[in-house]
Amino acid sequence: MKKSVNKLIAVMIVLLGMTACSTNRMSVEAKEKMNNQTGFQLENVHVELVKNPFFSEDEKHALYMNTTELAKLLKSSLKTELRSGALDCKSKKRCLHVDVNVDYMRTFVLGSNTLDTPKIGFEIDIKDQNKVIHTEKASELILSRGTLTNIFTQTNIGSDKVDREREVLDFRGIAKEIVKRISDLTH
């Protein structure tokens, strides 16, 4: 009995692992089109603000950027990162188009208006002539700000401090992670 339960658990783990891997597995066609001579041009960038299901924090969210402003900030940061990584379409033989959708959950330091480390998920669609050739997904990522910044943030328990610049820095970090994922696809 115990052996069959162990086998069942092992099979479930293997299937779960295969499912997680298959969401980002690249097709042969996509591999042929993405290489170090491929550039990327942003098309659509969308940010969905995911609210905490356990707390109503609408009044806190109103103190920060709305989804339109967040998407504009993210698009600008993504373009900057693509340029700095030489991944934009300038001087590249092939140019593919990219759509980015981000699920962004603001979290707040206990009893305060101060932003804590956000949770994010994203989907990157890479297209060639309006046909999606690859989708890269990530979910439930926690953006790391570094140990000292995280400790400093927690000292704001009960504070009314609103730090909009922190969210700008977080979105620059999100852009870096997305562009890193795109860059990894070309290798």
Side-chain angles (χ1 to χ4, degrees), residues 6 30 32-33 36-37 48-50 52 64 66 70 75 89 93 100 114 122 128-129 138-139 142 150-151 166 171 173:
N6 287 342
E32 290 172 356
K33 291 182 179 184
N36 60 0
Q37 295 181 17
E48 180 73 30
L49 186 59
V50 179
N52 188 323
Y64 292 92
N66 62 38
L70 291 170
K75 189 169 191 172
C89 288
K93 289 184 177 181
V100 176
T114 303
F122 56 79
D128 185 23
Q129 300 177 6
S139 60
I142 297 175
N150 287 338
I151 290 170
R166 178 75 259 163
F171 266 77

Side-chain angles (χ1 to χ4, degrees), residues 163-180:
D163 187 2
R164 290 181 184 93
E165 184 59 29
R166 178 75 259 163
E167 192 162 54
V168 170
L169 295 173
D170 287 344
F171 266 77
R172 287 182 186 153
I174 293 168
K176 283 182 188 290
E177 178 61 27
I178 290 171
V179 171
K180 179 189 175 302

